[in-house]
Amino acid sequence: MTEQNTNASEQRKLRKSRYVRINVFFFLVFILFVALVVRLGVVQIVQGEEFSKEVSRTESDYARLPAPRGKMYDRYNRVVVDNKSVPAITYTVDKTTKTQDKIDTAKKLSQFISYDPEFLTEELKDRDIRDYWLASNPEEAKDLLSEKELKLKPSETYKLQVERVKEKDIEAIKANQEEKELAYMYTRFSSGYQYEPQVVKSLNLTDKEVSSVAENLEQLPGIDVITDWDRENPYGEYLQTIFGGVTSPEQGILESRADYYTARGYARNERVGKSYLEYQYEDYLNPRKAKVEYVSDKSGNIVTQKVVDEGQRGYDLKLSFDMELQMEVEKIVEEELRKASAGHHLMDRAFVVMMDPHQGDVLAMVGKQLNPDDRSGDMLDFAYGTFATQYEAGSTVKGATVLSGYQDGMPLNQYYIDRTLNFKGTPPKSSYRTLGGMTDLSALKLSSNVYMFFVAMRIADVDYVPNGPLNASLEDFQTLRNYFAQFGLGVPTGVDLPQESSGLMSTPDNPGKLLDISIGQFDTYTPLQLAQYVSVIANGGSRVQPRIVTSIHAPVEESELGPIVVDKAPNVLNRVNNTPEQIAQVQKGFRLVVTSGTGKSIKYDVAGKTGTSQTLYYGPKREYWGRETNNLNFVGYYPSDKPEVAFSVVVPWASNDEDPVNKTITNRIIEAYINLQKKYLTTTDIESTKQDTAKKEEEE
């Protein structure tokens, strides 16, 4: 009985323990269920919106499309550099684009467009061909690597693969026009960033190619036909070298300034100015490109695209040039150079610079060169030679020599006797003939060399002793050159064009060269420096910086200049250390040159100075280097009393010093200037009359 009670009691305890464990288990299950419900609630209610956004997350990328550059106008608001719309075929890479996609598209596109073989030869580099071969032969590319190398980083393996492409494979592509075209297309496809359209072809693009591509865009993923812009010159070849050039879309930014452009947000395929004004004023001429937003989903597929900025043309430049005067002067120089060169087998170039002596505006900048391969054929434009090449100026610098003498203490009307001077260790020095007693005025009028020699010796504190030494030091050379620099001789003019030459100041090999500098026979100067120098005399002593761009304007839709953004006011670089009386004395001497001196064949009211320099030939015909020749020059201004225009004429390498080509050109360019001023005045009067008549009619 007792044993039965004990068993019953243990069973009750056992059942009770089992119930407890079951209850605990169910409680734990309940807790877990509650936690799960709470977590699901948090996810759905609290974080639901966030996760929903993640599922539908998109990204925005931006691309920039071409916009036209700024225009250029001449001083009378005539358009001299404009834009024209041209079609271009582009390729755009997105996030889903694979290498094979590029190869496939290139093969399809090759059915509709083609390239000139010479163009491909110039543009395709060996590295481009290697990249194309690796892309089009992926399995063979793997075989170029060992098992161990395959485990390296992709950047390391690709470098090895590029180096190991076989020369025979490269040569095979070079020998096959179709393969070369595909290689070029692949290179263009791979040359930019995602969503940045890369121009595949724009040069020599035919209407048939454009229409064929446009009609088949559906089978050409990534390809598009867009409107691009190209430069055009309404005045043809005139001043085109000074306006400068722009790179093609295929060329893109200049590699030599890649860091400069990329720091300013340029795309690598963006066209930039590559020479002269286009290069110098790139920051203003460059447009604000149109901006397109591409919205893509998580997979990289484009969801939408829209234009967020239409872009804007670059700023416009107003130039100092008078295009009608430029054209007339070019015609004159070309005609006179061709005529004169027939009697001088080394004479192949001539230059004219005309500028406002008060403002510094360059009105005309002309350089012409006979084609060295065909002297009877087309003449080459050599306008940049007016500031990038230099020549001995001869007696044209004697005005600077006399004014330097005044600065050194020489009185007005100083008297010296022109005769042959003999120095120990230096060849005899003389004028073209013995002129006798000379003052500053007669020395300028008759172009006395000896007078200038005495001025140079005075500056060097050297007394002339017949057959004695000429004890001039290098410091004396520098002193005379410092005087000349005040007038712009031997220093940069400051013109707003790149690659300006400051002339050549050689180290002298004997003291006699000091005398040569005083008559323009040793140091060399550019035609622009000579125009600046004579402008100093014309305007009464101010060295004014020559300027090509006079103002910069905001672009407007109308075919006219918009509001001024930058007004480039005239800039006086320095005043020469001469009194008004001293400058007036040289002005008087320059007038005597034309009325009764060495320039008396000049027909107009010009003041100026002739200059013939005996020099050695150093032009393109190397077999004649060292041959004795003559530079025929003239500097002056018109009219003599109230100068409106200063000019320099430089005709290098004549066989003799008797040809009047420098004076003939001077007569003709001044005549052209006078006639144009009359024309402009008449046109202004007519316009004024029309406006007055219209105003009266409105009032009535």
Side-chain angles (χ1 to χ4, degrees):
M1 187 68 178
T2 304
E3 183 177 348
Q4 290 178 347
N5 291 337
T6 302
N7 289 336
S9 177
E10 290 178 353
Q11 288 178 358
R12 285 195 297 272
K13 290 179 181 178
L14 183 61
R15 284 197 298 271
K16 185 177 181 180
S17 174
R18 186 181 297 120
Y19 292 149
V20 171
R21 288 197 297 270
I22 291 172
N23 289 335
V24 171
F25 173 76
F26 278 116
F27 180 76
L28 291 175
V29 171
F30 174 76
I31 293 299
L32 290 174
F33 182 76
V34 171
L36 179 61
V37 170
V38 171
R39 180 59 182 164
L40 287 173
V42 170
V43 170
Q44 186 170 358
I45 299 172
V46 179
Q47 297 178 320
E49 185 177 354
E50 181 179 342
F51 282 105
S52 178
K53 288 181 179 179
E54 180 64 22
V55 170
S56 59
R57 180 174 62 86
T58 60
E59 293 183 359
S60 293
D61 294 277
Y62 297 91
R64 290 173 172 78
L65 300 178
R69 290 171 69 83
K71 299 180 181 181
M72 299 186 198
Y73 296 76
D74 83 342
R75 68 188 297 103
Y76 295 109
N77 296 345
R78 296 174 288 220
V79 178
V80 294
V81 178
D82 207 344
N83 300 295
K84 63 178 179 180
S85 60
V86 295
I89 296 172
T90 65
Y91 181 80
T92 304
V93 174
D94 61 32
K95 294 179 179 179
T96 64
T97 304
K98 298 179 176 60
T99 299
Q100 189 59 45
D101 296 334
K102 298 178 185 178
I103 298 295
D104 294 340
T105 301
K107 289 179 179 179
K108 293 176 183 177
L109 183 61
S110 66
Q111 302 173 28
F112 307 113
I113 66 173
S114 60
Y115 296 91
D116 182 83
E118 292 185 6
F119 172 81
L120 293 178
T121 301
E122 292 177 1
E123 293 295 321
L124 264 182
K125 308 295 186 293
D126 274 5
R127 174 57 191 266
D128 299 332
I129 295 176
R130 291 172 186 270
D131 289 334
Y132 166 70
W133 187 90
L134 292 172
S136 57
N137 299 277
E139 295 303 321
E140 291 87 339
K142 288 182 181 178
D143 294 339
L144 298 176
L145 300 171
S146 66
E147 291 294 331
K148 183 178 180 181
E149 290 170 339
L150 284 171
K151 299 177 181 178
L152 298 174
K153 295 179 180 178
S155 59
E156 296 175 339
T157 59
Y158 192 77
K159 183 179 179 181
L160 293 172
Q161 288 173 312
V162 168
E163 295 172 350
R164 293 173 184 175
V165 175
K166 297 176 182 179
E167 286 299 323
K168 68 174 185 177
D169 294 325
I170 296 175
E171 294 302 321
I173 293 175
K174 287 183 178 180
N176 188 312
Q177 174 67 11
E178 292 182 5
E179 285 291 317
K180 285 171 65 177
E181 290 183 350
L182 292 175
Y184 179 73
M185 289 182 197
Y186 178 79
T187 300
R188 296 303 306 157
F189 290 179
S190 307
S191 59
Y193 304 110
Q194 289 180 352
Y195 300 105
E196 197 72 51
Q198 301 302 310
V199 173
V200 181
K201 187 175 183 182
S202 62
L203 300 174
N204 302 316
L205 188 61
T206 66
D207 293 339
K208 182 179 179 180
E209 288 176 323
V210 173
S211 59
S212 297
V213 172
E215 292 168 2
N216 293 276
L217 288 178
E218 289 185 3
Q219 58 177 299
L220 297 169
I223 295 294
D224 199 1
V225 177
I226 67 169
T227 298
D228 202 352
W229 300 91
D230 198 7
R231 291 305 234 177
E232 67 174 353
N233 300 83
Y235 287 87
E237 297 296 320
Y238 292 104
L239 275 176
Q240 193 167 350
T241 56
I242 300 301
F243 298 147
V246 179
T247 61
S248 67
E250 291 84 354
Q251 293 169 329
I253 61 175
L254 300 172
E255 286 300 324
S256 59
R257 304 183 77 200
D259 292 341
Y260 173 86
Y261 295 121
T262 53
R264 285 160 176 76
Y266 283 66
R268 294 196 65 83
N269 68 329
E270 196 161 343
R271 286 173 296 173
V272 297
K274 63 181 179 180
S275 59
Y276 300 111
L277 284 176
E278 294 276 15
Y279 176 92
Q280 185 78 8
Y281 286 92
E282 170 64 27
D283 288 346
Y284 292 102
L285 292 169
N286 182 56
R288 189 181 77 237
K289 302 183 78 172
K291 190 176 181 181
V292 179
E293 180 186 26
Y294 291 91
V295 179
S296 57
D297 60 22
K298 286 182 65 177
S299 300
N301 299 308
I302 296 176
V303 179
T304 61
Q305 68 179 70
K306 63 178 180 179
V307 176
V308 295
D309 187 345
E310 295 289 346
Q312 186 181 59
R313 190 177 81 234
Y315 290 113
D316 298 329
L317 306 183
K318 183 169 183 177
L319 310 182
S320 61
F321 296 118
D322 177 347
M323 283 306 296
E324 288 202 33
L325 179 63
Q326 177 74 28
M327 291 190 294
E328 286 295 319
V329 176
E330 284 202 28
K331 178 182 177 183
I332 291 167
V333 172
E334 187 167 331
E335 290 175 353
E336 295 302 329
L337 174 58
R338 196 177 296 282
K339 188 189 306 180
S341 64
H344 307 274
H345 74 286
L346 294 178
M347 180 191 290
D348 73 335
R349 63 195 63 190
F351 305 95
V352 170
V353 175
M354 303 181 75
M355 62 185 289
D356 181 334
H358 306 283
Q359 305 292 317
D361 293 356
V362 178
L363 307 177
M365 180 177 274
V366 177
K368 289 293 180 180
Q369 182 180 16
L370 291 165
N371 190 328
D373 300 322
D374 181 13
R375 289 172 66 91
S376 63
D378 293 336
M379 200 166 287
L380 306 178
D381 183 32
F382 198 18
Y384 63 87
T386 57
F387 61 89
T389 62
Q390 58 278 322
Y391 308 90
E392 290 89 345
S395 298
T396 58
V397 306
K398 288 178 178 176
T401 302
V402 171
L403 287 166
S404 298
Y406 295 153
Q407 291 185 35
D408 195 67
M410 185 179 79
L412 299 182
N413 300 308
Q414 173 69 45
Y415 181 85
Y416 291 116
I417 298 176
D418 184 302
R419 77 275 194 190
T420 300
L421 304 182
N422 295 290
F423 299 93
K424 182 179 179 181
T426 299
K429 297 288 187 180
S430 64
S431 300
Y432 56 94
R433 64 181 174 86
T434 301
L435 297 174
M438 291 278 110
T439 65
D440 45 11
L441 293 178
S442 58
L444 290 172
K445 169 185 170 181
L446 299 177
S447 199
S448 168
N449 288 345
V450 174
Y451 191 94
M452 306 305 152
F453 298 157
F454 277 111
V455 174
M457 287 188 288
R458 178 190 181 101
I459 291 172
D461 292 326
V462 173
D463 293 325
Y464 173 62
V465 177
N467 299 311
L470 179 58
N471 295 321
S473 66
L474 290 177
E475 287 75 14
D476 296 323
F477 279 85
Q478 191 58 52
T479 298
L480 182 56
R481 285 169 169 167
N482 288 344
Y483 281 135
F484 274 28
Q486 294 180 45
F487 301 91
L489 298 173
V491 294
T493 65
V495 67
D496 48 337
L497 287 168
Q499 302 175 6
E500 180 190 8
S501 170
S502 58
L504 181 61
M505 279 16 82
S506 301
T507 301
D509 55 6
N510 67 74
K513 290 294 192 293
L514 179 71
L515 308 184
D516 293 338
I517 292 176
S518 72
I519 61 170
Q521 296 278 63
F522 184 56
D523 290 349
T524 61
Y525 313 111
T526 68
L528 182 60
Q529 285 176 318
L530 293 176
Q532 185 184 52
Y533 142 67
V534 78
S535 293
V536 174
I537 296 173
N539 66 35
S542 296
R543 184 166 78 98
V544 183
Q545 180 179 2
R547 59 178 183 170
I548 304 297
V549 175
T550 58
S551 56
I552 300 171
H553 299 253
V556 293
E557 293 299 325
E558 297 79 10
S559 57
E560 59 184 29
L561 284 168
I564 292 178
V565 175
V566 178
D567 189 2
K568 298 189 66 178
N571 182 28
V572 176
L573 299 174
N574 62 268
R575 287 278 305 176
V576 296
N577 295 323
N578 290 98
T579 66
E581 292 75 21
Q582 292 169 345
I583 295 172
Q585 184 82 339
V586 171
Q587 290 173 337
K588 185 176 180 181
F590 273 25
R591 183 61 186 143
L592 289 172
V593 168
V594 174
T595 56
S596 55
T598 56
K600 60 184 178 182
S601 61
I602 304 300
K603 297 183 295 184
Y604 299 98
D605 180 24
V606 170
K609 185 72 190 73
T610 55
T612 302
S613 172
Q614 289 75 46
T615 185
L616 301 179
Y617 177 75
Y618 48 87
K621 296 183 177 181
R622 289 179 173 267
E623 65 271 25
Y624 292 102
W625 275 19
R627 180 73 60 88
E628 291 186 359
T629 58
N630 300 268
N631 294 345
L632 308 177
N633 312 312
F634 195 98
V635 299
Y637 48 89
Y638 166 88
S640 62
D641 56 343
K642 294 181 179 180
E644 299 173 8
V645 59
F647 61 89
S648 67
V649 177
V650 177
V651 186
W653 306 327
S655 301
N656 57 66
D657 60 359
E658 298 174 358
D659 197 308
V661 59
N662 53 336
K663 300 167 190 173
T664 304
I665 291 175
T666 296
N667 273 323
R668 293 189 64 186
I669 64 173
I670 295 303
E671 182 179 22
Y673 175 81
I674 293 171
N675 290 337
L676 278 174
Q677 296 311 303
K678 290 178 181 177
K679 174 185 173 181
Y680 294 150
L681 183 61
T682 302
T683 302
T684 302
D685 289 341
I686 292 174
E687 290 298 322
S688 178
T689 301
K690 287 182 179 179
Q691 292 175 6
D692 291 342
T693 302
K695 186 176 181 180
K696 288 180 180 179
E697 290 176 351
E698 288 179 2
E699 291 175 352
E700 293 174 356

